[in-house]
Amino acid sequence: MSDIEKQIDTGVELVSAPDQDGYLLDASKVGTKEGLQLSRDQHNILIPQPSADPHDPLNWSQSKKNLILFVISATAFLPDYGSATGAVTLIPQAAIWQMSPDEVNHSQVGNLFMLGAGGIIVVILAAFFGRLPVFFWFTTFAFLTAIWCAAATSFESFFAARVLNGLFSTVAQGGGLMLIKDMFFLHEHARKINVWSAFITVSPYLGPLLAAFMITKLSWHWPFWIYAIETGICLTGIILFLDETYYDRRVPMDKQPVRQSRFMRLVGVEQYRSRHLRNTFLQAMMRSVKVILKPTVFLSTIYFLFTFAWVVGINTTLSIFIGPLYGFGPKQIGFLYFAPVIAAILGEIVGIWLHDLIAKIYMRRNGGTLDPEARLLAIYISTPFMLAGLVGVGFCLQNGYHYMVTAVTWGLYVFGIMITTVALNAYNLEAYPEASGEVAAWINFARTTGGFIISYFQVRWALAMGPQRSFGVQAGVTAGVFFVIVLLSVFGGKLRAWSGPLHFKTA
């Protein structure tokens, strides 16, 4: 009997992947077990095994969990939407403030950097204070700083507002995976991450799309007023529907913190009173350090940094090249942004069945066991789409191909990155589920850091080398770092076993 079967046989909750053995999910492979809880269709073993406590988030109704998932996904939509909106408004802002567009773009770069750094801060505070108050307070300040962005009358004021907004708005991008892990069982993870990632992936395209239409008739302030309204709606959703999802099943039900006032949980008073059951502040800070030192997490962040960076690369390059190339104004550029939006939606639709199909085939061939590395197989499918998209965009911009061809090739890349994002997040979550927040924060940090770095030189690079060669190099880098995925696919289990468990105080 394997280690996993022994754990299932004794009813022990699985909160971390047991080294190289993977997860035994197929109920038919272990027979009838006394007290073992299965999924509704009786096909999957529930991991983790839920407690008998109705306050356990795993026991919440499916409608409540899906509503919370929608709220955190919509909140995760905000930061990249707001950040990319600034890429369109900088032209009228530069004219008003008598600055160059490159100087105004410094506010964009500062905002982008804080989107990554803020995620690390979110998971540290959530490990100490709990999930709900961090989501509430960060989104509250995101709402206030979004209003500040819209109302700013000078570059200095706008710059400060943008940087602070980047810090606070990233709460659901950096911390969303924590709530998904808290509420859903392992066999549901990929589908739920797919929903959350779709909102994140489509957001940097919807921002410029809507802003391009608005600035043709309205002042640059209006795109940010719309952003502030959207942030306010998400804050309202958090106030009305979110609850504290942290629950330690190792604590007996009669010793769990008593849930008395939802308002007190919202502002963090109840969680502070029960802080002795969670991490000390030093332990909370060290969690992120321990996670990034795990080889599989570190390699995943390196891979994503050199893969997702080109999202920003294409965004910043297209707005400069396609205007003179096709004679497009802001409205026509806005229409072109429908291509990546549709591609992201198609990636979401395909991902609904693709990740589950890969898991089912893998378990059928491996005795009902699902290894975390199985999630990486989807990247073998998505990588050709990303490579074709990058090479195609370069050829289109260099040779003046029809704008519809440009739109399709851009969409190919976005479709591929959508599948890749879900697969990489699911892999790291299932490799270290007790560090759900930390792995998500580091993946988010890699994503935004890549964009932050390339935003400094992408335009000059494309102008100096030509788009065909610069995007060809980007495709070459993407192909090169794919060998990281091959390495993790083959040796990921051994690397996790060699580096050992995290030994966190709490999950």
Side-chain angles (χ1 to χ4, degrees):
M1 183 180 287
S2 71
D3 290 341
I4 298 179
E5 288 173 299
K6 290 175 183 177
Q7 286 184 277
I8 291 175
D9 190 46
T10 57
V12 175
E13 176 197 4
L14 293 176
V15 295
S16 60
D19 300 330
Q20 302 176 63
D21 290 330
Y23 297 96
L24 187 59
L25 284 175
D26 191 342
S28 66
K29 301 298 181 181
V30 296
T32 303
K33 300 292 179 180
E34 185 67 28
L36 184 63
Q37 299 184 66
L38 306 178
S39 59
R40 291 181 180 179
D41 60 10
Q42 302 296 299
H43 293 163
N44 295 299
I45 297 165
L46 294 182
I47 299 177
Q49 289 280 287
S51 67
D53 189 349
H55 294 304
D56 184 344
L58 291 175
N59 293 326
W60 290 349
S61 69
Q62 203 66 28
S63 58
K64 178 177 180 177
K65 291 194 279 189
N66 286 331
L67 179 59
I68 292 175
L69 174 64
F70 175 77
V71 172
I72 64 171
S73 299
T75 308
F77 169 89
L78 295 173
D80 281 7
Y81 173 92
S83 182
T85 294
V88 175
T89 61
L90 63 84
I91 301 298
Q93 287 172 326
I96 293 170
W97 292 329
Q98 298 182 337
M99 301 169 65
S100 70
D102 188 56
E103 289 175 313
V104 178
N105 192 49
H106 291 167
S107 66
Q108 174 91 353
V109 174
N111 174 270
L112 191 59
F113 176 78
M114 294 308 294
L115 293 183
I120 306 296
I121 297 172
V122 164
V123 297
I124 291 173
L125 295 177
F128 181 72
F129 289 108
R131 315 324 195 195
L132 181 60
V134 172
F135 268 73
F136 169 69
W137 287 113
F138 266 66
T139 310
T140 297
F141 285 111
F143 177 52
L144 296 175
T145 52
I147 294 173
W148 183 2
C149 289
T153 56
S154 68
F155 173 73
E156 291 75 17
S157 176
F158 181 75
F159 180 89
R162 288 278 281 167
V163 171
L164 290 174
N165 184 258
L167 170 65
F168 292 116
S169 67
T170 193
V171 60
Q173 281 191 359
L177 206 58
M178 290 186 295
L179 277 68
I180 292 175
K181 190 269 177 184
D182 290 343
M183 296 188 296
F184 296 102
F185 298 103
L186 186 141
H187 69 278
E188 300 175 300
H189 284 170
R191 274 175 288 161
K192 305 308 179 183
I193 294 172
N194 196 51
V195 174
W196 173 66
S197 291
F199 277 79
I200 296 173
T201 303
V202 77
S203 60
Y205 307 113
L206 270 179
L209 187 155
L210 298 178
F213 290 122
M214 282 186 270
I215 63 174
T216 60
K217 299 291 185 181
L218 304 168
S219 74
W220 70 262
H221 297 274
W222 269 105
F224 286 101
W225 280 121
I226 297 299
Y227 171 60
I229 292 169
E230 292 166 344
T231 307
I233 292 171
C234 289
L235 176 60
T236 303
I238 289 172
I239 293 171
L240 294 178
F241 303 119
L242 251 64
D243 207 337
E244 180 57 59
T245 62
Y246 174 76
Y247 187 93
D248 192 344
R249 293 172 195 89
R250 295 171 295 186
V251 177
M253 194 165 70
D254 60 344
K255 294 184 179 179
Q256 290 285 346
V258 178
R259 297 195 173 205
Q260 297 175 325
S261 166
R262 188 174 173 283
F263 175 76
M264 290 299 182
R265 291 196 299 277
L266 185 69
V267 298
V269 173
E270 281 194 12
Q271 292 90 331
Y272 185 75
R273 289 171 180 168
S274 61
R275 65 189 181 280
H276 61 282
L277 296 175
R278 293 187 303 277
N279 305 271
T280 65
F281 195 71
L282 179 60
Q283 289 172 331
M285 289 193 295
M286 290 305 297
R287 286 170 64 102
S288 294
V289 176
K290 290 180 179 179
V291 167
I292 195 59
L293 292 177
K294 295 298 181 184
T296 55
V297 178
F298 179 76
L299 289 171
S300 295
T301 58
I302 295 298
Y303 167 78
F304 209 47
L305 187 150
F306 286 105
T307 305
F308 202 94
W310 317 128
V311 169
V312 177
I314 295 176
N315 260 1
T316 55
T317 306
L318 279 182
S319 61
I320 291 175
F321 277 86
I322 62 177
L325 185 62
Y326 301 122
F328 280 4
K331 185 179 293 186
Q332 289 77 19
I333 293 174
F335 278 117
L336 193 68
Y337 271 92
F338 276 108
V341 171
I342 293 171
I345 294 172
L346 289 175
E348 150 73 9
I349 295 171
V350 171
I352 288 174
W353 62 266
L354 175 63
H355 300 286
D356 281 350
L357 177 64
I358 290 173
K360 288 177 182 178
I361 295 174
Y362 187 91
M363 288 192 294
R364 192 179 304 140
R365 295 180 177 180
N366 290 272
T369 298
L370 180 68
D371 295 304
E373 284 70 30
R375 298 300 188 184
L376 298 175
L377 296 176
I379 301 179
Y380 287 75
I381 298 172
S382 63
T383 297
F385 287 94
M386 293 190 290
L387 296 179
L390 288 170
V391 172
V393 168
F395 271 84
C396 288
L397 297 183
Q398 183 78 36
N399 301 307
Y401 295 163
H402 195 278
Y403 67 85
M404 290 300 294
V405 181
T406 305
V408 170
T409 54
W410 189 9
L412 287 174
Y413 172 77
V414 174
F415 177 85
I417 202 68
M418 175 68 203
I419 302 294
T420 298
T421 301
V422 175
L424 201 65
N425 275 292
Y427 167 62
N428 282 280
L429 173 61
E430 292 171 13
Y432 295 104
E434 69 272 46
S436 56
E438 287 75 17
V439 296
W442 281 117
I443 295 296
N444 181 61
F445 182 79
R447 179 181 67 83
T448 56
T449 300
F452 170 75
I453 293 171
I454 197 172
S455 63
Y456 272 106
F457 62 84
Q458 169 65 27
V459 174
R460 291 193 299 272
W461 182 23
L463 289 172
M465 291 185 65
Q468 183 173 318
R469 293 178 63 189
S470 65
F471 279 100
V473 171
Q474 293 172 20
V477 171
T478 302
V481 294
F482 175 70
F483 286 100
V484 172
I485 300 302
V486 177
L487 175 67
L488 291 174
S489 299
V490 177
F491 300 108
K494 293 180 180 179
L495 286 172
R496 288 186 288 110
W498 172 78
S499 63
L502 287 165
H503 296 300
F504 284 164
K505 179 181 177 181
T506 63

